[in-house]
Amino acid sequence: MRIRIVKYLTILSVLLSFAGCMDDDVLPTSPVDLFGSRGVFIVNEGNYLYGNASLSYYDIDTREVINDIYAKANGVPPGDVAYTMQIHSGKGYLVVNNSGCIHVVDANSMLHLGTIEGLPSPRHMLFLDNNRALVSDLYARGISIINTATLKVIGKIPTGSSALPFYQHSTENMICIGDKIFVNCWSFDNKVLVISTESLTVTDSIEVGIQPMAMVKDRNNNIWVVNDGGYQGNPFGWENPSLVLINSTTLQVKRRFVFPHLNDLAGPIATNPAGDSLYFVQAHIYKMSIDDTALPESYFVSGMGKNFRGMATDPLTGELYVSDAIDFMSEGRVYRYSPNGAPVDSFEVGIIPGSFCFN
Amino acid sequence: MRGLSIPHVLNMNCCGSDLQKIVVMAMFLMGCAMGASSQSALNDTISLESVSIYSTRPVAGTLSGYKVHRIDSLALMEKAGVSLSELLTENSPIFVKTYGRGATATVSFRGTSSSHTRVLWNGIRINSPMSGEVDFSLIPLYFADDVNILYGQASMAYGSGGLGGLVSIDSNPDWSKRYGLKLYQSVGDFQTYSTAIHGGYGTNTLRGQTRFFRETSQNNFTYRNTAKIGKPTEVQKNADYTKHGIMQELYFRPRANSMISAKLWFTQTDRGIPKLMSGFSHDEVNRQENQNFNAVVAWQSYRENGNWKLSSGLSLLSLSYQLQKLSAEGNRLPVLDSHSDAWSWYNTLGYDREVLNWLTLGFQADANLHWVESNEEVLSTAIACKQNQLGIRTFIHAKPMERLSLSLLAGEEAYDNRTTPIMASLSAQYLFLPQKNLMAKAGLARNFHYPTLNDLYWQPGGNPNLKPEEGITGEAGISYTAIPFGSRVNIEVSAFSSEINHWIMWLPHLKGYWEPVNIEKVKARGLEGNISLSLSPGRFKLRFLGNYSYTRSTVEDAGGVLRAEAKGRQLPFIPIHSAGVSTNIQLRNYRLAYSFTHFSERFTTTSNNPNSIRPLYPYYMNNISLGYDLRVRSSLLGFQLRVDNLFDESYQTILWRPMPGRNFSLLVRLEI
């Protein structure tokens, strides 16, 4: 009997020895130095509420990829749904949408310098001058004004109120042309708002199409907006996706290109560095001149059933980068094409790569 | 994959309607009825009233070849005041995925997803008709007297859908005492208070039982935030919860062989949904309220010419979810304000009869009706749908030889006039050594799981043409019981292999919303081992339970919707190894209980690539409790001090959701 007790107690103590084995300090760090490297950051959203967003860096010359570069430098994850990134005055600003913050890092070492809090659901940033920047937001019905020196929110530009339906107006991309800032409102919405840079208030609005997802400007300082048309059952409506060109001076819609089918899937858009061509995605990648009056017939690069999420052009070489989320539950992929559409490279990044930032 | 569905459906990345995703999240978070459990005092004398005859213990437990485990009353009592999910984690290979202390807990059984585990409470199916899942954190053990786990095909006696298995929670009458009162009060860390009252009254033929419980917790534990620079110590916020419930049972047994029962219970849970460790959101409102109401009337009769069972039950599952963020104007404005009600009416008729002394035949028929309404205020969207279900199952149990038992079951169901494939199971049990009780079991079954109402009708994305998921399972096992020198040893080893076709997985549509698709083939296979020992050396009473399971659940053919490398990879969130040990030592009036649980690492992506995406590290958890019972005549005053997370580990079971360190609670129990 006693032997049995001893036996069981031994089993117990062996098991107890496993205790304290959970190692939650699992993010190893390694120093990062991007000085002298020309490359592009890829912001990987991760899965909503998983907190597995990440940042990848691709060196354009050596073609080397560093994945999870923020966590490697800092030992902590960026957060939940990292959305966009910008580099300004030697610092990187990483907007993390569902963590409600913007992490500020050193552009070479990726070391964390500070975090801007107090942002409900930040999306994109626009730098006004050396001290101020605007941050668009999905739910706040307004744009936050931040002081980039103190990293504090110093003001807000209301873009809606509880009097409007849904949570209008959400704000997404911001483009500054002269004394006007244009911002698209996509969520259950169809407007582009115009904000005066002097008063920092909304002065005008332009109706485009249902769900204007993204905006870019061309060399004529006109703005291209892609509307994805909504979806079946959308309480705001459902129409064919379209591409719309706005004259930034007259604030009128100059041209409207409607995609042929209700079920067409309009994706990201981008201009080339010269600003005279527009790339857009509709199952495949298409290229058109900004002076074209009709959508191109044939595609530029075949989509081959990929989930294209983000697209950007290299400001120096005009090469095209497109991200593919694949199955949304594993590493995504980025494809690099030359300006004439020839594939140059492709590499794996983090989960759901969404946007690019060239340094 | 349903087990992944909460986060997948929630993937509100950019280009879609983020709000729609939150609505679906709210619907998936919808919990169901709370199984309520009352603890029966651990008496030295066992009542010979044979409570089991009248209990709603699953019929399958007596059938040959099926694997059924009953979690004994000792374990239920140790866990009084703790939730059902902890009880399951420690006493079975079921993997419980919990979002935090008091937060949503879903299960995964034999490599399948959360909606593939059927849960019955007093005979009523409490899986949500919308999501197919059960939130185990909503089931207080105060309202449960009996918890049984039916593995794999054993669940088919109760209908389809249990591709992994079935958990049955029952409240039973205690005919041993005319009047009895049990009071429980517990106090614990993080301002956790729990009160429960259980009163029983009646005669030998008519009995009533009333139960009530209330539990609140601020849940404001401190933790080391490893997701922020400097790894600061922070206090968990907005994770508070308040749960309460009331239950009334009435039992009438006019004759020794028949009983009519009526049970009514209501539970409500209000809780905050805390942000991730990496989040900085201030001044948000993120709250969920679940309400569940159930009523069931049942009649059972055991006669020479057959046994009858008839029951009718009504169930209402309500979920309200609110998300508010700070607006540019400085006030909080709603981003999501959703509410859903799911009504179900369940009716079952069962009959079985011993036609020859070695042959029993029987059938069970169901007729159920569901109607669901859900709406969201900010987007002004609403959906409403109805579904009726009919089912019939027939079974044969035969014992053609002294040592051989066979069971055969066949059934068919119809949902809104769409009939499903035939479900069938065959199992056999052979007794090798009667004295040693060495038994071998084997079974083959074809079960299916009909798409849920969300799968079929959710707007946007629902697909009314989805095919039902089909599971073809083979299992075999050996069980051995020995009783050397007054102790009892039981060892059981079993292996299973399932092929699940048309597995439903929610994937993002390019328009941004999510939609369910049938994945062609998932293979789930594994090994389960259980050991249980009870012995009484001297004045001690020792009880040891151990379980281990090895589960490989992989996508074999996704029809191109997943990346090519996903083939052959473990499905996310299903651990390959899962083990648990639970020991109980009793000496006179003292009791010491210790439990240890382990889950191996879990992948969070379809590619399982540890070099690019971190998996969830392995989980080891130790809990201990010390109890003392003071008996005065027939009354009992008991004390129990629990220490959870004995070694004060800092850990997460869901990425970036903190868990509390070592925490204490004291339970005082009075039974009159």
Side-chain angles (χ1 to χ4, degrees):
Chain A
M1 230 23 85
R2 285 214 190 98
I3 300 167
R4 277 223 185 89
I5 297 172
V6 170
K7 213 196 302 182
Y8 299 133
L9 286 176
T10 321
I11 298 172
L12 269 179
S13 26
V14 166
L15 291 166
L16 285 180
S17 68
F18 281 110
C21 270
M22 283 198 282
D23 181 12
D24 80 326
D25 229 345
V26 288
L27 301 192
T29 56
S30 53
V32 167
D33 184 11
L34 303 179
F35 184 75
S37 158
R38 197 178 84 80
V40 58
F41 288 94
I42 301 109
V43 183
N44 307 298
E45 300 178 21
N47 299 109
Y48 180 64
L49 290 185
Y50 272 52
N52 59 1
S54 66
L55 188 63
S56 301
Y57 180 75
Y58 173 73
D59 185 307
I60 292 174
D61 302 312
T62 67
R63 299 194 184 183
E64 192 192 306
V65 183
I66 307 174
N67 279 317
D68 220 1
I69 197 174
Y70 180 90
K72 284 204 171 100
N74 296 296
V76 293
D80 194 32
V81 188
Y83 201 61
T84 55
M85 180 173 175
Q86 289 223 21
I87 295 180
H88 186 84
S89 307
K91 295 199 195 119
Y93 294 78
L94 180 64
V95 180
V96 190
N97 172 250
N98 203 45
S99 290
C101 67
I102 298 176
H103 291 303
V104 185
V105 296
D106 178 278
N108 287 327
S109 66
M110 288 292 115
L111 285 174
H112 176 263
L113 298 171
T115 300
I116 306 167
E117 301 176 35
L119 303 163
S121 184
R123 304 287 273 186
H124 294 256
M125 279 180 82
L126 175 72
F127 288 86
L128 288 178
D129 50 46
N130 278 331
N131 285 321
R132 293 179 310 160
L134 297 181
V135 183
S136 61
D137 200 289
L138 181 56
Y139 296 128
R141 300 163 172 84
I143 294 173
S144 308
I145 308 166
I146 56 174
N147 179 316
T148 49
T150 62
L151 299 186
K152 294 270 182 274
V153 176
I154 54 174
K156 303 229 199 273
I157 307 172
T159 58
S161 70
S162 50
L164 292 175
F166 310 115
Y167 36 79
Q168 289 181 354
H169 295 281
S170 65
T171 48
E172 187 74 15
N173 302 86
M174 292 176 288
I175 295 176
C176 186
I177 297 175
D179 63 348
K180 294 195 218 75
I181 297 170
F182 295 81
V183 56
N184 57 329
C185 313
W186 65 269
S187 193
F188 301 106
D189 214 327
N190 61 358
K191 301 265 195 303
V192 167
L193 298 178
V194 185
I195 296 169
S196 146
T197 49
E198 281 163 38
S199 65
L200 284 184
T201 56
V202 174
T203 54
D204 230 315
S205 78
I206 307 161
E207 188 171 307
V208 285
I210 293 181
Q211 299 211 163
M213 303 298 300
M215 270 192 330
V216 290
K217 100 177 152 181
D218 65 20
R219 68 152 182 220
N220 296 330
N221 271 344
N222 290 325
I223 298 177
W224 292 84
V225 186
V226 61
N227 309 299
D228 89 347
Y231 52 86
Q232 184 171 29
N234 182 353
F236 191 77
W238 187 27
E239 64 182 19
N240 292 37
S242 56
L243 209 53
V244 154
L245 179 63
I246 301 173
N247 180 316
S248 63
T249 329
T250 65
L251 305 184
Q252 297 301 313
V253 170
K254 272 179 72 169
R255 251 173 277 156
R256 189 182 291 268
F257 303 88
V258 181
F259 289 94
H261 310 108
L262 199 54
N263 281 317
D264 281 338
L265 303 163
I269 54 173
T271 50
N272 62 349
D276 59 10
S277 296
L278 179 77
Y279 297 97
F280 65 90
V281 174
Q282 200 286 97
H284 307 282
I285 306 176
Y286 290 80
K287 182 178 182 179
M288 62 189 274
S289 155
I290 59 171
D291 302 315
D292 281 349
T293 51
L295 290 173
E297 299 264 313
S298 53
Y299 56 74
F300 179 64
V301 168
S302 166
M304 290 181 295
K306 302 192 182 81
N307 281 320
F308 288 138
R309 194 121 183 121
M311 187 163 66
T313 52
D314 184 333
L316 235 58
T317 64
E319 281 173 325
L320 186 68
Y321 289 76
V322 199
S323 66
D324 175 10
I326 310 189
D327 63 11
F328 286 77
M329 290 180 272
S330 57
E331 305 71 23
R333 188 158 267 274
V334 171
Y335 297 91
R336 174 182 172 185
Y337 297 99
S338 70
N340 61 13
V344 174
D345 197 9
S346 91
F347 48 95
E348 259 186 11
V349 286
I351 301 177
I352 310 180
S355 71
F356 298 90
C357 173
F358 288 85
N359 71 357
Chain B
M1 173 179 65
R2 208 57 52 77
L4 200 52
S5 64
I6 293 178
H8 278 290
V9 159
L10 293 178
N11 192 334
M12 298 186 9
N13 295 295
C14 160
C15 307
S17 165
D18 287 20
L19 212 56
Q20 278 323 85
K21 306 310 177 304
I22 301 178
V23 177
V24 188
M25 164 178 83
M27 298 314 143
F28 273 98
L29 285 177
M30 183 160 79
C32 309
M34 283 143 263
S37 203
S38 83
Q39 316 308 313
S40 43
L42 190 65
N43 288 320
D44 283 339
T45 42
I46 298 165
S47 163
L48 291 177
E49 278 287 343
S50 290
V51 174
S52 58
I53 294 181
Y54 300 105
S55 76
T56 50
R57 184 175 314 185
V59 178
T62 60
L63 303 183
S64 48
Y66 295 131
K67 184 167 170 182
V68 179
H69 279 165
R70 179 166 181 256
I71 297 182
D72 67 17
S73 50
L74 183 63
L76 282 172
M77 194 191 58
E78 282 305 323
K79 289 279 173 284
V82 176
S83 74
L84 181 61
S85 23
E86 275 208 35
L87 183 78
L88 289 175
T89 305
E90 292 180 12
N91 287 280
S92 72
I94 295 179
F95 171 64
V96 180
K97 181 172 157 204
T98 172
Y99 282 77
R101 186 172 178 270
T104 299
T106 55
V107 301
S108 163
F109 199 173
R110 288 197 162 176
T112 60
S113 76
S114 151
S115 65
H116 296 148
T117 301
R118 275 276 181 246
V119 185
L120 290 183
W121 191 24
N122 285 327
I124 293 194
R125 202 181 313 178
I126 58 172
N127 294 72
S128 157
M130 290 182 76
S131 68
E133 297 180 334
V134 175
D135 180 353
F136 281 79
S137 68
L138 302 176
I139 304 177
L141 282 182
Y142 291 118
F143 284 13
D145 296 322
D146 216 354
V147 179
N148 283 278
I149 301 169
L150 280 65
Y151 293 70
Q153 62 181 128
S155 69
M156 291 170 68
Y158 295 91
S160 68
L163 300 184
L166 185 147
V167 177
S168 175
I169 302 153
D170 297 290
S171 323
N172 294 325
D174 177 8
W175 300 97
S176 63
K177 265 175 155 172
R178 275 185 94 99
Y179 297 99
L181 183 67
K182 291 180 204 171
L183 294 162
Y184 302 85
Q185 179 62 51
S186 105
V187 172
D189 273 333
F190 324 127
Q191 296 172 281
T192 307
Y193 305 100
S194 168
T195 309
I197 300 171
H198 177 169
Y201 38 89
T203 64
N204 248 359
T205 51
L206 182 64
R207 177 146 189 102
Q209 287 178 176
T210 309
R211 314 185 204 211
F212 167 78
F213 90 99
R214 184 168 192 271
E215 182 178 330
T216 68
S217 179
Q218 281 306 306
N219 217 4
N220 47 1
F221 55 90
T222 50
Y223 62 97
R224 192 160 149 263
N225 192 337
T226 53
K228 291 202 178 143
I229 300 276
K231 304 198 170 52
T233 302
E234 293 187 353
V235 175
Q236 177 71 313
K237 291 199 181 75
N238 196 37
D240 59 286
Y241 58 86
T242 301
K243 306 181 185 180
H244 50 259
I246 187 160
M247 179 166 190
Q248 176 64 50
E249 302 157 77
L250 220 58
Y251 301 93
F252 176 54
R253 50 176 189 181
R255 281 169 288 282
N257 62 356
S258 73
M259 181 163 80
I260 299 172
S261 62
K263 302 177 196 183
L264 204 91
W265 64 101
F266 171 78
T267 52
Q268 177 163 327
T269 302
D270 283 294
R271 51 191 168 188
I273 312 283
K275 56 175 174 58
L276 289 171
M277 284 158 76
S278 48
F280 287 89
S281 317
H282 301 292
D283 257 339
E284 256 182 31
V285 169
N286 198 338
R287 297 202 72 84
Q288 179 183 325
E289 183 187 285
N290 290 78
Q291 284 182 337
N292 177 221
F293 169 78
N294 282 298
V296 59
V297 175
W299 168 68
Q300 288 159 264
S301 164
Y302 301 86
R303 296 176 199 182
E304 279 295 317
N305 61 358
N307 307 321
W308 287 94
K309 178 158 192 232
L310 179 64
S311 76
S312 180
L314 193 64
S315 170
L316 168 63
L317 299 171
S318 278
L319 170 68
S320 297
Y321 176 73
Q322 263 205 325
L323 176 63
Q324 290 180 0
K325 294 219 184 217
L326 213 53
S327 78
E329 291 145 18
N331 56 338
R332 273 199 233 115
L333 284 177
V335 163
L336 192 77
D337 186 358
S338 68
H339 182 83
S340 70
D341 285 320
W343 288 94
S344 302
W345 185 26
Y346 296 102
N347 301 289
T348 307
L349 173 68
Y351 173 74
D352 64 89
R353 181 184 176 159
E354 204 178 272
V355 294
L356 298 168
N357 68 351
W358 56 272
L359 185 67
T360 302
L361 301 175
F363 76 87
Q364 204 180 65
D366 314 299
N368 308 325
L369 189 64
H370 300 295
W371 59 109
V372 162
E373 270 173 18
S374 110
N375 54 54
E376 203 287 304
E377 297 298 323
V378 177
L379 299 186
S380 307
T381 51
I383 63 167
C385 53
K386 270 170 88 159
Q387 187 187 61
N388 59 58
Q389 294 172 11
L390 295 170
I392 178 117
R393 292 171 289 285
T394 55
F395 53 86
I396 297 171
H397 305 306
K399 206 169 174 184
M401 292 166 5
E402 181 64 42
R403 297 188 186 187
L404 177 69
S405 313
L406 294 167
S407 294
L408 178 65
L409 179 145
E412 170 88 85
E413 296 184 1
Y415 294 76
D416 282 336
N417 309 322
R418 254 178 88 182
T419 54
T420 57
I422 292 198
M423 56 186 250
S425 90
L426 172 66
S427 60
Q429 181 177 292
Y430 187 76
L431 193 62
F432 283 104
L433 306 166
Q435 312 94 311
K436 297 279 184 191
N437 214 351
L438 177 67
M439 254 194 303
K441 303 180 188 185
L444 192 63
R446 181 195 193 210
N447 196 356
F448 64 90
H449 178 268
Y450 199 75
T452 64
L453 292 178
N454 278 356
D455 291 332
L456 298 169
Y457 305 120
W458 187 261
Q459 277 305 316
N463 179 0
N465 298 317
L466 277 174
K467 292 181 239 178
E469 300 168 295
E470 179 202 52
I472 298 177
T473 312
E475 51 185 283
I478 292 186
S479 129
Y480 170 75
T481 309
I483 310 181
F485 315 110
S487 55
R488 188 177 183 275
V489 182
N490 174 260
I491 301 175
E492 194 173 338
V493 178
S494 39
F496 68 91
S497 176
S498 294
E499 198 175 277
I500 301 172
N501 301 315
H502 320 307
W503 179 300
I504 294 172
M505 190 179 285
W506 282 72
L507 293 171
H509 186 268
L510 283 171
K511 278 278 189 180
Y513 58 79
W514 289 66
E515 58 176 5
V517 297
N518 287 114
I519 301 281
E520 284 322 295
K521 196 187 297 188
V522 169
K523 275 206 171 119
R525 56 243 181 250
L527 213 68
E528 290 159 349
N530 298 87
I531 182 169
S532 87
L533 280 156
S534 20
L535 46 142
S536 312
R539 287 195 233 124
F540 286 92
K541 271 194 212 147
L542 273 155
R543 209 273 307 268
F544 175 88
L545 285 173
N547 69 75
Y548 167 76
S549 70
Y550 171 82
T551 311
R552 291 282 287 139
S553 184
T554 58
V555 177
E556 292 303 317
D557 178 0
V561 294
L562 295 179
R563 64 189 301 128
E565 296 92 325
K567 180 175 158 68
R569 306 280 184 186
Q570 184 82 350
L571 284 171
F573 293 104
I574 297 182
I576 294 179
H577 304 280
S578 132
V581 159
S582 145
T583 346
N584 200 295
I585 303 173
Q586 227 180 307
L587 173 67
R588 283 194 232 112
N589 291 343
Y590 292 92
R591 254 188 352 266
L592 179 71
Y594 165 77
S595 70
F596 167 79
T597 314
H598 165 65
F599 298 119
S600 62
E601 68 178 0
R602 281 133 286 152
F603 296 106
T604 57
T605 60
T606 51
S607 59
N608 296 172
N609 185 346
N611 294 323
S612 51
I613 312 289
R614 282 177 294 278
L616 270 169
Y617 44 80
Y619 168 91
Y620 303 91
M621 189 45 52
N622 298 272
N623 300 325
I624 202 167
S625 78
L626 182 64
Y628 177 75
D629 289 332
L630 188 64
R631 273 167 231 276
V632 179
R633 273 188 259 164
S634 61
S635 303
L636 170 81
L637 180 66
F639 299 89
Q640 186 192 68
L641 177 69
R642 274 187 69 89
V643 185
D644 287 307
N645 191 358
L646 184 62
F647 296 105
D648 200 15
E649 308 232 32
S650 165
Y651 70 104
Q652 303 148 30
T653 55
I654 300 273
L655 277 175
W656 309 120
R657 293 213 177 268
M659 298 294 275
R662 182 185 306 127
N663 59 96
F664 298 84
S665 66
L666 177 68
L667 171 70
V668 177
R669 190 173 83 240
L670 176 67
E671 293 179 22
I672 301 167

